[in-house]
Amino acid sequence: MTATTLITGGTYLLELSSGYDGEAFYLDESVLNGPDVLDGNGVDFVDITPVVQNMRISRGRHKPLDVFGPGTMSVSISVPKTNRDYDPLNTASPYYNTLTEQPGLAPLRPIRLSRNGEYLFTGVVTTYNQTYSLDGLTSYNIFAADNTYVLSQGSLPSTATSSQTSSARITAVLSAAAFTGSTSLTASPTATLGAYTIPSGTNVNAYLNRIQKAEQGRIFCSRANVLTAQPRIGTTLAAPTVTFDDTNTATPYDVILVEFDQQSVINNANITIESGGVLQNASDATSISQYFTQTEAITDSLLSSDAQAATLASYLLYPNPKPRFTSVSTTFASLTDAQKTALAPIEIGQTVEITKTFTSGTPLSVQQSLSVEGIDHNIDMASGHRMTLWTSATIVLNQFILNDEQFGVMSTTNALG
């Protein structure tokens, strides 16, 4: 494959599967002793980077209490009307499968985008639209989604479960759904789920979202389309993957968003487990007197006990809103090659550090450590690559080190690990 270099961004390769293996041997079609082999060499991918104008990727979520939807990518391409290689109506296209009499480039074909060999998105095509125009150009709009979309299209048979961790329940659900994709599940989940039978016809992704609500971690597909589950969000020992500032000593940014509104306030939480549970409530009277009652309620939690429900209710309380850097944006044109290489493959759940300086007021500098909740890419082949990270609050702990002057002190910021 021949990748395309974007001067301010790097080397990009957008590959779309043709849906068949051009090297495979087919009875009555291939020539004995010819170049084709019995098992082929895998599904063919077509490099469509040279005809791309724009690519947009959106993965994750913007707010910590939002559910994770499918990661998506949209691609805009335009070619002269004389180029019908990508036209699904063209049976003479080099990507047309003459064996099945189907277009090679079509919906539900795998698609993947990489930068300098690192995948930024992997998924399947959901829509492949074509527009003929009298101006001499044919335009294509390709929309794609990751395996979260695939799971949202499936349903489960009636499935009995046992009392198990959230990660074990995810494994059971994926097995019942006959999911064949790759997974990366946390080894130390917080929640234990009850032995509740899953009704026949339950949407797979909707049930995974219920697991996520019980765990209050993250369930999403990585940039390589690996279904990933992370434990309850809280403190972390992970050092920042990328450090941003506005003093030219770290990765520069050009926009920071601070969302400071009532929607983040939760001063009353009600949790009831699915079967036979007693409502568990946690509230903050001082916050209610100031911000009125702001309730988060889960009436069918998959948690296994009232005690766990009570713990979750307390965890969900966020009685006093605090201003924080909700998102940070930067353009690759302003970054060094090393900064681009560190930022481009950043993943949901990793940590960033952002510093904003001021010329007046107090303090003159604000530094925040934050977890990445969502990632947006806008790659325009004319103007360059732009990224936005959406964040949530976190506390970064230091690894406790015996006899170390700084890290050998038991404190709120040093931890045994």
Side-chain angles (χ1 to χ4, degrees), residues 110-253:
I111 189 170
R112 58 196 187 191
L113 171 66
S114 61
R115 176 198 173 273
N116 291 10
E118 290 273 5
Y119 286 122
L120 303 184
F121 180 87
T122 306
V124 295
V125 173
T126 57
T127 305
Y128 190 79
N129 288 339
Q130 180 178 217
T131 303
Y132 299 108
S133 174
L134 295 180
D135 64 4
L137 293 176
T138 302
S139 300
Y140 298 85
N141 290 299
I142 302 172
F143 299 92
D146 59 26
N147 275 339
T148 303
Y149 169 82
V150 176
L151 291 168
S152 69
Q153 304 303 301
S155 60
L156 293 165
S158 178
T159 306
T161 64
S162 60
S163 179
Q164 57 196 164
T165 64
S166 58
S167 58
R169 180 65 56 83
I170 293 171
T171 298
V173 167
L174 296 180
S175 176
F179 177 71
T180 58
S182 299
T183 61
S184 175
L185 308 182
T186 177
S188 54
T190 302
T192 299
L193 308 185
Y196 310 124
T197 298
I198 304 174
S200 175
T202 298
N203 181 274
V204 180
N205 194 55
Y207 193 85
L208 291 177
N209 283 333
R210 291 185 64 194
I211 297 175
Q212 189 269 331
K213 281 190 173 184
E215 178 65 37
Q216 287 296 319
R218 304 180 183 94
I219 302 177
F220 63 94
C221 285
S222 72
R223 55 192 174 85
N225 209 13
V226 176
L227 186 68
T228 304
Q230 297 173 350
R232 186 164 295 177
I233 300 168
T235 58
T236 179
L237 287 166
T241 303
V242 176
T243 300
F244 293 94
D245 74 9
D246 54 2
T247 61
N248 295 320
T249 59
T251 301
Y253 57 83

Side-chain angles (χ1 to χ4, degrees), residues 358-366:
F358 304 90
T359 57
S360 61
T362 303
L364 290 175
S365 178
V366 175

Side-chain angles (χ1 to χ4, degrees), residues 79-85 90 136-138:
V79 296
K81 66 179 181 181
T82 54
N83 181 353
R84 295 191 64 201
D85 285 355
N90 179 23
L137 293 176
T138 302

Side-chain angles (χ1 to χ4, degrees), residues 279-302:
L279 185 148
Q280 303 297 309
N281 172 263
S283 62
D284 188 295
T286 301
S287 175
I288 290 173
S289 67
Q290 186 172 0
Y291 300 110
F292 309 105
T293 301
Q294 308 284 331
T295 299
E296 177 73 11
I298 302 175
T299 58
D300 59 349
S301 175
L302 293 175

